[in-house]
Amino acid sequence: MFTGIVTALGEVKAVERRDGLVRLTIASPYDAAGVEIGASVAHDGVCLTVVSTEGHQGGMSHVVEVAAESLALTTMGELRAGDRVNLERSLRLGDELGGHMVQGHVDGLGEVLSVKQDGEGYRIRIRPPHTVAHLIAAKGSIAIAGVSLTVNEVDDEGFGVLIIPHTWAVTTLSRLKPGDKVNLEADMMARYAARLIEARRNQS
């Protein structure tokens, strides 16, 4: 479980393609002593398991393995050496819930429609897939590339979010441009509400 509050920017150091999966080596400022083998870390909103770690000056490197389903449904399969990723370690008992409850299970890929400066912040418009669109509501929460954000407006074309300067500076959202794909995870409550409505319709 995560909160959508990015705690570090990682850099992809190596991409190793194997039969049915991809091994990613990620460098970050995390302390290797605090990241155990088997730990869950969100990478651009995708929950992945750490399979090895190595400490070095200024931080550490860790390796995760991405299975075929995640490669097909998320941006993980498009990563290349040198790319940056938003990282968040899993929520621990007693941690502050600064964003919203995020599972690290991507619902679908959104397409960036526009990125525009709005005052001191930035406004991003995204077109979600039809499988996700009905889960997005104005003033609701959504995770975009692992970042917890509030939906500002929704229309037939897509939805918009406003990015404050701090979030712009410490996440990969500042690198987005029209046409880019982003991992989307709808708010957990919206997902369960939609499932309940669907179940009631099937019973009627």
Side-chain angles (χ1 to χ4, degrees):
M1 194 67 70
F2 306 92
T3 68
I5 303 299
V6 172
T7 53
L9 274 179
E11 180 180 352
V12 179
K13 289 298 186 181
V15 179
E16 181 183 355
R17 302 189 183 279
R18 298 187 174 186
D19 187 21
L21 61 81
V22 168
R23 285 173 61 93
L24 300 174
T25 301
I26 311 290
S28 75
Y30 288 145
D31 182 358
V35 181
E36 299 180 354
I37 304 300
S40 295
V41 177
H43 298 67
D44 279 352
V46 183
C47 179
L48 299 172
T49 300
V50 175
V51 298
S52 70
T53 64
E54 180 181 352
H56 54 71
Q57 186 175 5
M60 64 171 286
S61 294
H62 69 269
V63 175
V64 291
E65 296 178 334
V66 190
E69 183 176 3
S70 294
L71 292 173
L73 299 177
T74 73
T75 59
M76 293 295 99
E78 303 300 319
L79 291 176
R80 300 291 184 271
D83 286 348
R84 297 278 183 155
V85 290
N86 297 318
L87 300 177
E88 181 187 355
R89 297 186 58 191
S90 58
L91 187 65
R92 297 180 178 182
L93 188 64
D95 285 350
E96 179 181 355
L97 182 59
H100 71 283
M101 299 301 289
V102 177
Q103 292 181 302
H105 302 158
V106 172
D107 290 306
L109 288 173
E111 179 186 355
V112 176
L113 298 174
S114 63
V115 180
K116 298 179 180 179
Q117 190 161 6
D118 188 335
E120 294 187 1
Y122 293 83
R123 189 173 296 275
I124 299 178
R125 294 269 306 162
I126 294 174
R127 178 188 291 118
H130 73 277
T131 53
V132 180
H134 68 292
L135 301 176
I136 301 171
K139 307 308 178 185
S141 297
I142 191 166
I144 301 175
V147 183
S148 173
L149 295 166
T150 299
V151 177
N152 290 105
E153 75 272 346
V154 181
D155 55 35
D156 292 339
E157 184 183 38
F159 68 95
V161 293
L162 184 63
I163 314 299
I164 63 173
H166 172 75
T167 303
W168 188 257
V170 300
T171 71
T172 62
L173 297 181
S174 61
R175 299 168 181 261
L176 293 178
K177 60 186 183 302
D180 284 349
K181 300 295 185 180
V182 288
N183 298 321
L184 299 179
E185 182 182 334
D187 180 68
M188 190 185 308
M189 297 302 295
R191 193 186 299 169
Y192 286 131
R195 186 66 179 271
L196 180 61
I197 292 171
E198 180 183 0
R200 287 180 174 176
R201 285 175 177 171
N202 292 336
Q203 291 174 356
S204 61

